Amino acid sequence: MSTLTQSRAWRAVETHARQLQQASRIAGLFEQDAQRAQRFSAEGAGLYLDYSKQWLTPESVELLVRLADQQGLARWTDRLFGGEPVNSTENRAALHIALRAPRTAVMFEQGRDVVPDVHGVLDRMGAFAQRVRSGEWQGHTGRAITDVVNIGIGGSDLGPRMVCEALKDLADGPRMHFIANVDGTPLAALTRSLDPDTTLWIVTSKTFTTQETMANAQAARRWFLERGREDGIARHFVAVSTNRDEVGKFGIHPDNMFEFWDWVGGRYSLWSAVGLSIVVAIGAQRFGDLLAGAHAMDRHFRTAVPGQNLPVLMALIGIWNTNFLNSATQVIAPYAERLCKLPAWLQQLEMESNGKSVDREGQPVDYRTTPALWGDVGTNAQHAFFQMLHQGTAVHPVDFILPAAPDHELTDQHRMLMANCFAQSAALMRGKSAAEVRAELVARGMDGAELEAAVPHRVFAGNRPSSTILLPRLDPRSLGALLALYEHRAFVQSVVWNINPFDQWGVELGKQLAQSVLQAMDGQAVMLDGSTRQLIDRTR
Ligand code: F6P
């Protein structure tokens, strides 16, 4: 068993959490400290974090910072930024920070400065995207590209898809589409509306062996060849990958391959060539702003003291809620329609990174690691699952995310959006007591048995924690900072939990068994359980 839960720092947080839970409620903490909102706010890379509606005191933060110290946060951060093989099970660095480092930076991986390589690829991406966007890059019949389709899954899909959606208002290139699922429905539907002569396919896969991506890419290739010729492939298919050999076998010319490296984890890759679709959609300059925002957050993470450090604070708050206050899950509620894909990106980031049950040494852990993360945009979510957040039996802390300025002229609606966002976090914290409900109902003329029957349904327990992150507006720079904030939050949590956030062995078994099931479906003799065999027979 791991020694973390027996350690001095862990036990100190545990004891303190017990005492705090007996002695206070969040709303009461505001009454005790007129400066609470300011005390529990921090700024970094243009983002503002208000965590005063979390159930904690200055002592909680101090003890949590001590826990992070005990777990070697400073040492692990040095190792991460130093390009050391922090991904121990694959003996790789996790140097996604180098992908957004300025041209003048120097960052080593295995003794080699990777920044020139990074900028070499960024320059190629920019030049290629410009040719596509301007119409200079033509399809095999000499027509300009009108539609671009990124084929990829997981990290080769979620990041670029989310960013393209978030920055859609800035999109001034060809129409952008994303195909991920091996379910042929979206691809079949999309190809019905596309012209093969004016469509460019970006096949994005770190390994270039992922079953779903290869199946979709082959289908797209066949669809193209129904009208085009083999020598037209070079005008319509480009690849983003680390695997030159497999790209070649697929028939994509090496000149049309945009490379990245094994030290870029899939879920940390949108800043690399995996972001090619973003560059085509919004142009290299705006993609540069996205990288600059992420880099600003990297610098903030590297230099701010823990008590002012957004990723560190958010990570420790998450650990506090999950491990010490026993909250059930983590909710993400962006109050921005354009951030509708953020929860899905974050699910891979946090749950593929920290959804582990053995520590770095391979020992089983006796504490909870990443909570399930879920969410949707406000205000829609208020009319869907917020009922449970307010009155359900379990506590689900919420991250509210709000761009302060709108990117449209409907300012009244933006005021309503903001008001709803702030009101929800206030309501979760305050709740409404039976006495308050009773007084309200009496004022409305209700009394007697009818009144008493109505009261319990209208009571809100309150004391439900949340944080609010304000972006100045939803632009490339702020978005880059926001995404890097969550990347570093996941890293800090992994350090405290002593787990490797950069591997994902948990996805392998299902992949292996899918091969066996396919063989069984082909009639081969494969050892399978009765249920799986029955399902195969039933669908035959
Ligand atoms: O789902 C597992 C996974 O390996 C992810 O980590 C990765 O982002 C995704 O598959 C896609 O992998 P690739 O980019 O190699 O196709």
Side-chain angles (χ1 to χ4, degrees):
M1 272 296 161
S2 118
T3 53
L4 174 58
T5 51
Q6 306 307 317
S7 70
R8 223 184 144 91
W10 183 279
R11 291 201 152 176
V13 181
E14 216 167 41
T15 308
H16 165 74
R18 257 196 309 272
Q19 288 163 352
L20 183 80
Q21 283 169 293
Q22 281 159 13
S24 70
R25 286 170 58 87
I26 310 170
L29 295 171
F30 276 90
E31 285 155 25
Q32 288 165 23
D33 179 3
Q35 297 300 309
R36 182 174 172 83
Q38 294 86 327
R39 202 181 304 287
F40 291 104
S41 297
E43 261 177 277
L47 306 190
Y48 185 81
L49 168 70
D50 178 339
Y51 61 105
S52 60
K53 293 194 190 85
Q54 295 288 343
W55 197 5
L56 41 70
T57 64
E59 190 187 352
S60 327
V61 177
E62 204 180 300
L63 291 173
L64 286 161
V65 169
R66 260 188 237 162
L67 175 63
D69 277 351
Q70 171 193 281
Q71 294 303 97
L73 178 58
R75 183 169 42 90
W76 278 104
T77 308
D78 284 348
R79 296 195 67 204
L80 178 79
F81 279 74
E84 290 186 36
V86 287
N87 177 357
S88 50
T89 63
E90 296 176 300
N91 195 28
R92 288 175 185 167
L95 212 46
H96 41 281
I97 42 180
L99 300 169
R100 54 241 189 174
R103 213 175 276 276
T104 49
V106 177
M107 300 199 85
F108 289 103
E109 192 267 338
Q110 294 197 352
R112 179 185 156 82
D113 178 10
V114 298
V115 177
D117 295 347
V118 165
H119 279 272
V121 173
L122 280 174
D123 290 344
R124 281 189 64 220
M125 288 162 66
F128 171 76
Q130 186 45 34
R131 290 179 69 197
V132 174
R133 287 159 58 82
S134 67
E136 185 196 329
W137 178 283
Q138 290 167 347
H140 69 128
T141 58
R143 290 165 64 198
I145 298 299
T146 56
D147 293 84
V148 176
V149 189
N150 183 78
I151 297 181
I153 197 163
S156 296
D157 166 71
L158 291 164
R161 191 194 284 257
M162 176 263 298
V163 172
C164 283
E165 181 65 32
L167 303 177
K168 211 174 192 169
D169 290 346
L170 302 176
D172 51 4
R175 284 182 293 269
M176 194 58 62
H177 313 270
F178 291 88
I179 293 290
N181 203 330
V182 77
D183 177 355
T185 312
L187 182 59
L190 181 62
T191 47
R192 276 197 287 277
S193 69
L194 293 180
D195 181 341
D197 298 348
T198 59
T199 300
L200 177 75
W201 300 85
I202 304 177
V203 185
T204 304
S205 174
K206 182 173 173 181
T207 54
F208 231 73
T209 55
T210 303
Q211 186 195 49
E212 294 93 328
T213 301
M214 291 305 111
N216 281 323
Q218 292 293 357
R221 194 174 188 278
R222 286 193 301 273
W223 174 78
F224 171 77
L225 289 174
E226 279 167 20
R227 288 237 320 248
R229 293 197 334 235
E230 192 76 33
D231 59 5
I233 295 270
R235 311 300 306 167
H236 292 273
F237 284 81
V238 301
V240 173
S241 187
T242 60
N243 192 339
R244 224 162 248 291
D245 292 347
E246 288 298 326
V247 169
K249 280 187 214 158
F250 183 87
I252 292 178
H253 196 274
D255 288 352
N256 293 345
M257 172 175 161
F258 296 85
E259 152 187 52
F260 63 115
W261 307 273
D262 67 3
W263 45 263
V264 182
R267 52 195 173 274
Y268 300 87
S269 67
L270 73 89
W271 325 99
S272 71
V274 169
L276 183 61
S277 49
I278 307 172
V279 189
V280 174
I282 63 173
Q285 189 163 348
R286 293 180 183 126
F287 187 68
D289 292 343
L290 183 84
L291 300 184
H295 177 67
M297 183 54 73
D298 295 340
R299 269 186 293 135
H300 168 78
F301 174 50
R302 196 83 173 101
T303 54
V305 295
Q308 292 296 319
N309 193 309
L310 267 57
V312 173
L313 286 167
M314 284 185 54
L316 295 179
I317 290 165
I319 282 169
W320 170 249
N321 285 329
T322 301
N323 298 106
F324 299 99
L325 300 188
N326 206 24
S327 61
T329 66
Q330 169 71 62
V331 178
I332 301 294
Y335 275 63
E337 185 77 21
R338 286 263 179 262
L339 289 178
C340 60
K341 306 263 183 257
L342 182 69
W345 177 77
L346 273 170
Q347 280 176 331
Q348 190 200 15
L349 175 68
E350 300 220 348
M351 291 155 78
E352 198 168 78
S353 294
N354 289 336
K356 316 273 167 73
S357 54
V358 296
D359 65 16
R360 287 183 192 275
E361 289 74 42
Q363 297 299 314
V365 299
D366 58 352
Y367 43 88
R368 275 157 63 189
T369 56
T370 207
L373 183 144
W374 57 289
D376 199 359
V377 292
T379 58
N380 305 11
Q382 292 174 201
H383 301 273
F385 58 80
F386 269 47
Q387 160 66 39
M388 183 183 80
L389 302 186
H390 287 289
Q391 288 189 317
T393 51
V395 173
H396 305 269
V398 185
D399 283 356
F400 291 94
I401 300 169
L402 174 74
D407 52 14
H408 53 78
E409 59 290 348
L410 303 174
T411 46
D412 277 355
Q413 285 185 231
H414 190 69
R415 287 182 65 238
M416 286 182 220
L417 182 77
M418 291 201 293
N420 273 280
C421 178
F422 302 152
Q424 287 298 324
S425 65
L428 284 165
M429 175 180 72
R430 263 170 58 163
K432 197 191 258 186
S433 68
E436 287 173 300
V437 173
R438 201 169 279 117
E440 251 180 43
L441 295 181
V442 168
R444 273 198 249 148
M446 207 186 273
D447 60 9
E450 190 197 4
L451 170 74
E452 290 314 316
V455 169
H457 300 282
R458 289 158 172 78
V459 168
F460 291 70
N463 207 38
R464 303 198 165 196
S466 67
S467 297
T468 301
I469 302 167
L470 297 178
L471 281 62
R473 58 176 57 246
L474 186 51
D475 58 16
R477 207 183 159 89
S478 303
L479 181 65
L482 179 73
L483 305 181
L485 164 61
Y486 276 100
E487 285 183 350
H488 293 316
R489 170 177 119 132
F491 171 72
V492 174
Q493 294 193 327
S494 79
V495 171
V496 174
W497 287 323
N498 188 30
I499 54 182
N500 177 4
F502 299 119
D503 61 11
Q504 58 284 320
W505 298 106
V507 301
E508 293 305 320
L509 178 59
K511 287 187 194 172
Q512 269 173 14
L513 280 179
Q515 293 304 336
S516 305
V517 172
L518 274 173
Q519 288 166 357
M521 289 165 86
D522 286 345
Q524 295 178 39
V526 178
M527 284 284 285
L528 286 173
D529 62 85
S531 162
T532 309
R533 189 157 291 290
Q534 172 179 261
L535 290 167
I536 294 169
D537 291 345
R538 179 92 194 170
T539 50
R540 230 187 258 285

